Amino acid sequence: MENRFTGGCSSCSVRVTAGGGFLGKGLDGGWEVRCATCHHVDERAAADDFDREAIELPTVPPPGSATTVALRVLTLSRACWACGKDTAGLIGLYPQRPARGYVGLFTTDNAKTMALVRRLLRQHGHAALAATVKSRYSRTMRERQLSNGCGHCDALQGNFPVHDEAMGRVAASGVDGLDTLLVAGCPVLGWQAIVHDNSGGVVAI
Ligand SMILES: [Zn+2]
Ligand SMILES: [Zn+2]
């Protein structure tokens, strides 16, 4: 069934115009909007031959879908273990206007999310902070990965201690327990690729 009113998608929070998406029952029994892209992914997910690793998103936003979505870039300032100075770590992304039924703080524990955060920072005048994110070797993960580094001495901050503290704050105070560095307009397909990525790094909130 088509949505009769403008609304935000319960899966990705992207705005859709009246008739531009679909209405469905949410987990709490209330009506929720799904954008055409997420609706398509849902239908694919129900198919027998569905491959979670190869989800195909459209190449352009479908008619009725907004082309950008406003995202909060969330950070956490903490003392660097090596030099002791305060440095900002990049934690994740959350919609500025979460839609009805929306859950999901997408964290930089996921390489794709970290890459998107870095891109958004570069595009919105935070090149210096973006430059602290580098591919570094992690002894815990035994591989190179994009990680937070100290803005003063470049020491790897370690995904686990940073996210452990960040999630403690989120558990206590929700998204507002973290700092919102900026609200960035993000192309919807870049955001939906994160939302429908299934390799971890999402916290229900
Ligand atoms: Zn959606
Ligand atoms: Zn440092």
Side-chain angles (χ1 to χ4, degrees), residues 142-166:
R142 298 219 168 97
E143 62 180 17
R144 293 187 75 83
Q145 55 178 204
L146 283 181
S147 54
N148 285 303
C150 175
H152 308 283
C153 74
D154 199 45
L156 168 70
Q157 296 304 296
N159 274 355
F160 178 73
V162 174
H163 281 100
D164 195 39
E165 185 172 342

Side-chain angles (χ1 to χ4, degrees), residues 7-203:
C9 172
S10 60
S11 180
C12 67
S13 287
V14 167
R15 309 296 292 177
V16 291
T17 58
F22 299 84
L23 268 188
K25 282 275 170 73
L27 290 175
D28 66 356
W31 290 100
E32 293 177 352
V33 175
R34 299 288 264 189
C35 73
T37 300
C38 294
H39 182 76
H40 167 76
V41 171
D42 289 349
E43 288 195 326
R44 290 291 304 132
D48 292 338
D49 61 347
F50 179 63
D51 179 0
R52 283 190 162 276
E53 305 291 306
I55 293 175
E56 287 168 36
L57 295 178
T59 51
V60 292
S65 167
T67 54
T68 61
V69 55
L71 300 177
R72 291 166 67 164
V73 176
L74 301 165
T75 59
L76 170 68
S77 202
R78 64 202 291 280
C80 168
W81 62 268
C83 74
K85 294 180 185 160
D86 271 356
T87 186
L90 304 174
I91 304 303
L93 296 168
Y94 190 79
Q96 185 188 25
R97 294 168 69 194
R100 181 186 159 78
Y102 177 84
V103 283
L105 164 58
F106 288 83
T107 81
T108 55
D109 248 349
N110 179 304
K112 284 183 194 163
T113 308
M114 183 61 111
L116 177 59
V117 170
R118 185 167 66 164
R119 197 157 74 233
L120 291 173
L121 288 181
R122 284 185 183 143
Q123 289 166 349
H124 291 82
H126 290 271
L129 184 53
T132 65
V133 177
K134 291 178 190 166
S135 174
R136 297 179 178 87
Y137 184 76
S138 159
R139 257 172 286 179
T140 347
M141 301 298 288
R142 298 219 168 97
E143 62 180 17
R144 293 187 75 83
Q145 55 178 204
L146 283 181
S147 54
N148 285 303
C150 175
H152 308 283
C153 74
D154 199 45
L156 168 70
Q157 296 304 296
N159 274 355
F160 178 73
V162 174
H163 281 100
D164 195 39
E165 185 172 342
M167 291 315 121
R169 294 208 197 178
V170 168
S173 323
V175 173
D176 291 330
L178 299 171
D179 300 323
T180 297
L181 177 74
L182 81 152
V183 175
C186 176
V188 293
L189 294 175
W191 169 239
Q192 287 162 337
I194 301 288
V195 170
H196 295 295
D197 180 63
N198 289 298
S199 49
V202 56
V203 178

